[in-house]
Amino acid sequence: MVAECVRFFLDRPIAVALGGAHFLIYALPAWAVLLVRLAMGRMGRRELGLFAIFTGALLIEGLQLAVDGFSFFGGETWGLPRYFGVFAPLLWLWAAWSLAALWNVSSGWRRWLARSAVVGALGWIFISQGVMSFETFYRKGARHDALVAAERIAPTIRGDYRGPKRQAENKRTLAEYYTTRRPVVFSDFAAAAWMVRGQSEGALQGRRLCPYPDDYLFIRVGSGYGGMNTVDSRLYDYVRSVRGGLGAEWRLFRRKSTPHR
């Protein structure tokens, strides 16, 4: 049952906008407290005002996306947390209220039990969602493989590239943000571009919305890149290979028009 509820918040855009984008561990108790206080008429004018600001922000953001043609009853959910998650601290105030209520339980043994529960819960969140997630991000999985490969290829890119540090013009494109930095390096998680302080393809990886052509293409052998399974030898020259954090082979290709040593 719990797993199904979590899956609901992760799979549906409307649920992500209302809860999944706001860190569920804080959002679920916050919504529970908020709705109970609202139903029981316990909210004062300031609290109602805060609730109005929070819901108003959600509605305005949702309206903006709806005008652009986005449907909250189907479609992708991966980009929603960055739009709706910024309002999460307002919602978390009700979760903080519940912790404060537990912390201030008046009875002796009940106070000890309640405060132990608060400390234990916050400790568990810190370890499971902070320390362990940090460890997973940097030591395991595809991100770790990409980051290590990017660190190993960065000196090669810096030593090979001889072009300008900036594009001559600042082009604009819809639905994404770009700088004029060069070299432009396309790779998984934008890791290689980050390591050399260049420009990546942006969050919409592989959709080729970047207004600038890539100077380098850095791909993991066997998995391709953004739907690309082969590299056109008429457009790119092979430079070198490195290993990622999980031992996968990554290959660097330079666009033939890229200024190099």
Side-chain angles (χ1 to χ4, degrees), residues 72-93:
F72 283 90
F73 299 97
E76 297 180 346
T77 61
W78 66 268
L80 294 181
R82 68 174 176 171
Y83 297 124
F84 290 92
V86 295
F87 311 123
L90 294 176
L91 179 63
W92 294 346
L93 291 174

mmCIF file of all heavy atoms in Angstrom, residues 72-93:
data_model
loop_
_atom_site.group_PDB
_atom_site.id
_atom_site.type_symbol
_atom_site.label_atom_id
_atom_site.label_comp_id
_atom_site.label_asym_id
_atom_site.label_seq_id
_atom_site.Cartn_x
_atom_site.Cartn_y
_atom_site.Cartn_z
ATOM 1 N N PHE A 72 -1.302 17.920 -16.927
ATOM 2 C CA PHE A 72 -0.993 17.406 -15.601
ATOM 3 C C PHE A 72 -1.620 16.038 -15.339
ATOM 4 O O PHE A 72 -1.475 15.488 -14.248
ATOM 5 C CB PHE A 72 -1.450 18.400 -14.531
ATOM 6 C CG PHE A 72 -0.534 19.569 -14.386
ATOM 7 C CD1 PHE A 72 -0.733 20.719 -15.138
ATOM 8 C CD2 PHE A 72 0.546 19.517 -13.519
ATOM 9 C CE1 PHE A 72 0.130 21.798 -15.025
ATOM 10 C CE2 PHE A 72 1.410 20.591 -13.394
ATOM 11 C CZ PHE A 72 1.193 21.730 -14.142
ATOM 12 N N PHE A 73 -2.286 15.495 -16.327
ATOM 13 C CA PHE A 73 -2.930 14.191 -16.156
ATOM 14 C C PHE A 73 -2.266 13.119 -17.007
ATOM 15 O O PHE A 73 -2.759 12.012 -17.148
ATOM 16 C CB PHE A 73 -4.412 14.294 -16.478
ATOM 17 C CG PHE A 73 -5.131 15.257 -15.581
ATOM 18 C CD1 PHE A 73 -5.364 16.558 -15.991
ATOM 19 C CD2 PHE A 73 -5.534 14.869 -14.316
ATOM 20 C CE1 PHE A 73 -6.008 17.457 -15.146
ATOM 21 C CE2 PHE A 73 -6.171 15.762 -13.466
ATOM 22 C CZ PHE A 73 -6.408 17.061 -13.886
ATOM 23 N N GLY A 74 -1.127 13.445 -17.570
ATOM 24 C CA GLY A 74 -0.362 12.496 -18.351
ATOM 25 C C GLY A 74 0.886 13.160 -18.884
ATOM 26 O O GLY A 74 0.975 14.383 -18.933
ATOM 27 N N GLY A 75 1.864 12.370 -19.256
ATOM 28 C CA GLY A 75 3.095 12.928 -19.801
ATOM 29 C C GLY A 75 4.256 12.825 -18.844
ATOM 30 O O GLY A 75 4.202 12.133 -17.825
ATOM 31 N N GLU A 76 5.329 13.512 -19.168
ATOM 32 C CA GLU A 76 6.564 13.418 -18.405
ATOM 33 C C GLU A 76 6.450 14.134 -17.063
ATOM 34 O O GLU A 76 5.730 15.114 -16.929
ATOM 35 C CB GLU A 76 7.731 14.014 -19.212
ATOM 36 C CG GLU A 76 8.021 13.279 -20.511
ATOM 37 C CD GLU A 76 9.176 13.901 -21.281
ATOM 38 O OE1 GLU A 76 9.560 15.043 -20.940
ATOM 39 O OE2 GLU A 76 9.684 13.267 -22.210
ATOM 40 N N THR A 77 7.219 13.630 -16.100
ATOM 41 C CA THR A 77 7.239 14.250 -14.769
ATOM 42 C C THR A 77 8.632 14.687 -14.352
ATOM 43 O O THR A 77 8.784 15.357 -13.329
ATOM 44 C CB THR A 77 6.709 13.267 -13.707
ATOM 45 O OG1 THR A 77 7.557 12.105 -13.675
ATOM 46 C CG2 THR A 77 5.282 12.836 -14.021
ATOM 47 N N TRP A 78 9.650 14.325 -15.136
ATOM 48 C CA TRP A 78 11.031 14.505 -14.680
ATOM 49 C C TRP A 78 11.399 15.972 -14.430
ATOM 50 O O TRP A 78 12.218 16.275 -13.577
ATOM 51 C CB TRP A 78 12.011 13.900 -15.690
ATOM 52 C CG TRP A 78 12.034 14.584 -17.029
ATOM 53 C CD1 TRP A 78 11.299 14.281 -18.120
ATOM 54 C CD2 TRP A 78 12.844 15.705 -17.406
ATOM 55 N NE1 TRP A 78 11.572 15.132 -19.162
ATOM 56 C CE2 TRP A 78 12.526 16.008 -18.746
ATOM 57 C CE3 TRP A 78 13.795 16.468 -16.738
ATOM 58 C CZ2 TRP A 78 13.128 17.057 -19.434
ATOM 59 C CZ3 TRP A 78 14.401 17.520 -17.425
ATOM 60 C CH2 TRP A 78 14.066 17.788 -18.764
ATOM 61 N N GLY A 79 10.802 16.908 -15.147
ATOM 62 C CA GLY A 79 11.188 18.307 -14.982
ATOM 63 C C GLY A 79 10.375 19.061 -13.946
ATOM 64 O O GLY A 79 10.726 20.192 -13.582
ATOM 65 N N LEU A 80 9.292 18.460 -13.451
ATOM 66 C CA LEU A 80 8.399 19.182 -12.546
ATOM 67 C C LEU A 80 9.016 19.568 -11.202
ATOM 68 O O LEU A 80 8.710 20.646 -10.686
ATOM 69 C CB LEU A 80 7.117 18.374 -12.323
ATOM 70 C CG LEU A 80 6.229 18.204 -13.555
ATOM 71 C CD1 LEU A 80 4.979 17.411 -13.192
ATOM 72 C CD2 LEU A 80 5.845 19.552 -14.150
ATOM 73 N N PRO A 81 9.851 18.725 -10.574
ATOM 74 C CA PRO A 81 10.403 19.121 -9.275
ATOM 75 C C PRO A 81 11.151 20.441 -9.298
ATOM 76 O O PRO A 81 11.110 21.197 -8.324
ATOM 77 C CB PRO A 81 11.342 17.953 -8.936
ATOM 78 C CG PRO A 81 10.704 16.778 -9.597
ATOM 79 C CD PRO A 81 10.171 17.319 -10.896
ATOM 80 N N ARG A 82 11.814 20.768 -10.382
ATOM 81 C CA ARG A 82 12.564 22.022 -10.393
ATOM 82 C C ARG A 82 11.638 23.236 -10.523
ATOM 83 O O ARG A 82 12.040 24.355 -10.198
ATOM 84 C CB ARG A 82 13.601 22.025 -11.517
ATOM 85 C CG ARG A 82 13.061 22.053 -12.924
ATOM 86 C CD ARG A 82 14.219 22.216 -13.914
ATOM 87 N NE ARG A 82 13.761 22.144 -15.287
ATOM 88 C CZ ARG A 82 14.540 22.434 -16.320
ATOM 89 N NH1 ARG A 82 15.791 22.814 -16.115
ATOM 90 N NH2 ARG A 82 14.088 22.343 -17.554
ATOM 91 N N TYR A 83 10.403 23.018 -11.001
ATOM 92 C CA TYR A 83 9.443 24.114 -11.085
ATOM 93 C C TYR A 83 8.647 24.271 -9.794
ATOM 94 O O TYR A 83 8.450 25.386 -9.309
ATOM 95 C CB TYR A 83 8.476 23.893 -12.251
ATOM 96 C CG TYR A 83 9.142 23.873 -13.598
ATOM 97 C CD1 TYR A 83 9.001 22.788 -14.460
ATOM 98 C CD2 TYR A 83 9.922 24.944 -14.017
ATOM 99 C CE1 TYR A 83 9.616 22.769 -15.705
ATOM 100 C CE2 TYR A 83 10.544 24.935 -15.258
ATOM 101 C CZ TYR A 83 10.388 23.843 -16.099
ATOM 102 O OH TYR A 83 11.011 23.826 -17.316
ATOM 103 N N PHE A 84 8.166 23.153 -9.254
ATOM 104 C CA PHE A 84 7.296 23.215 -8.080
ATOM 105 C C PHE A 84 8.049 23.036 -6.762
ATOM 106 O O PHE A 84 7.547 23.405 -5.705
ATOM 107 C CB PHE A 84 6.194 22.159 -8.192
ATOM 108 C CG PHE A 84 5.187 22.459 -9.265
ATOM 109 C CD1 PHE A 84 5.355 21.954 -10.548
ATOM 110 C CD2 PHE A 84 4.096 23.255 -9.001
ATOM 111 C CE1 PHE A 84 4.432 22.235 -11.552
ATOM 112 C CE2 PHE A 84 3.168 23.551 -9.996
ATOM 113 C CZ PHE A 84 3.337 23.040 -11.281
ATOM 114 N N GLY A 85 9.240 22.480 -6.820
ATOM 115 C CA GLY A 85 10.003 22.250 -5.597
ATOM 116 C C GLY A 85 10.457 23.515 -4.904
ATOM 117 O O GLY A 85 10.723 23.502 -3.702
ATOM 118 N N VAL A 86 10.518 24.618 -5.640
ATOM 119 C CA VAL A 86 10.973 25.873 -5.027
ATOM 120 C C VAL A 86 9.989 26.388 -3.989
ATOM 121 O O VAL A 86 10.342 27.202 -3.125
ATOM 122 C CB VAL A 86 11.219 26.954 -6.106
ATOM 123 C CG1 VAL A 86 12.344 26.562 -7.015
ATOM 124 C CG2 VAL A 86 9.951 27.215 -6.913
ATOM 125 N N PHE A 87 8.736 25.924 -4.052
ATOM 126 C CA PHE A 87 7.730 26.366 -3.077
ATOM 127 C C PHE A 87 7.680 25.454 -1.851
ATOM 128 O O PHE A 87 6.922 25.735 -0.913
ATOM 129 C CB PHE A 87 6.344 26.397 -3.722
ATOM 130 C CG PHE A 87 6.310 27.120 -5.045
ATOM 131 C CD1 PHE A 87 5.857 26.496 -6.196
ATOM 132 C CD2 PHE A 87 6.752 28.429 -5.138
ATOM 133 C CE1 PHE A 87 5.835 27.161 -7.412
ATOM 134 C CE2 PHE A 87 6.742 29.115 -6.347
ATOM 135 C CZ PHE A 87 6.280 28.466 -7.493
ATOM 136 N N ALA A 88 8.463 24.391 -1.855
ATOM 137 C CA ALA A 88 8.401 23.390 -0.791
ATOM 138 C C ALA A 88 8.623 23.961 0.612
ATOM 139 O O ALA A 88 7.932 23.549 1.543
ATOM 140 C CB ALA A 88 9.405 22.272 -1.069
ATOM 141 N N PRO A 89 9.578 24.885 0.826
ATOM 142 C CA PRO A 89 9.789 25.392 2.194
ATOM 143 C C PRO A 89 8.543 25.996 2.827
ATOM 144 O O PRO A 89 8.399 25.955 4.053
ATOM 145 C CB PRO A 89 10.897 26.448 2.004
ATOM 146 C CG PRO A 89 11.669 25.957 0.826
ATOM 147 C CD PRO A 89 10.626 25.383 -0.090
ATOM 148 N N LEU A 90 7.635 26.535 2.017
ATOM 149 C CA LEU A 90 6.382 27.057 2.575
ATOM 150 C C LEU A 90 5.535 25.915 3.130
ATOM 151 O O LEU A 90 4.957 26.018 4.211
ATOM 152 C CB LEU A 90 5.599 27.820 1.507
ATOM 153 C CG LEU A 90 6.242 29.107 0.980
ATOM 154 C CD1 LEU A 90 5.396 29.708 -0.133
ATOM 155 C CD2 LEU A 90 6.422 30.118 2.105
ATOM 156 N N LEU A 91 5.476 24.812 2.387
ATOM 157 C CA LEU A 91 4.708 23.656 2.848
ATOM 158 C C LEU A 91 5.349 23.016 4.068
ATOM 159 O O LEU A 91 4.650 22.554 4.983
ATOM 160 C CB LEU A 91 4.603 22.633 1.710
ATOM 161 C CG LEU A 91 3.859 21.329 2.014
ATOM 162 C CD1 LEU A 91 2.405 21.617 2.342
ATOM 163 C CD2 LEU A 91 3.967 20.364 0.840
ATOM 164 N N TRP A 92 6.667 23.007 4.111
ATOM 165 C CA TRP A 92 7.371 22.351 5.224
ATOM 166 C C TRP A 92 7.099 23.019 6.571
ATOM 167 O O TRP A 92 7.344 22.414 7.614
ATOM 168 C CB TRP A 92 8.875 22.358 4.966
ATOM 169 C CG TRP A 92 9.287 21.526 3.792
ATOM 170 C CD1 TRP A 92 8.552 20.598 3.132
ATOM 171 C CD2 TRP A 92 10.551 21.573 3.129
ATOM 172 N NE1 TRP A 92 9.273 20.058 2.087
ATOM 173 C CE2 TRP A 92 10.492 20.641 2.064
ATOM 174 C CE3 TRP A 92 11.711 22.313 3.327
ATOM 175 C CZ2 TRP A 92 11.582 20.416 1.216
ATOM 176 C CZ3 TRP A 92 12.792 22.101 2.481
ATOM 177 C CH2 TRP A 92 12.716 21.163 1.434
ATOM 178 N N LEU A 93 6.614 24.239 6.550
ATOM 179 C CA LEU A 93 6.314 24.909 7.818
ATOM 180 C C LEU A 93 5.280 24.134 8.632
ATOM 181 O O LEU A 93 5.335 24.118 9.863
ATOM 182 C CB LEU A 93 5.812 26.334 7.550
ATOM 183 C CG LEU A 93 6.867 27.310 7.001
ATOM 184 C CD1 LEU A 93 6.223 28.636 6.649
ATOM 185 C CD2 LEU A 93 7.985 27.509 8.012
#
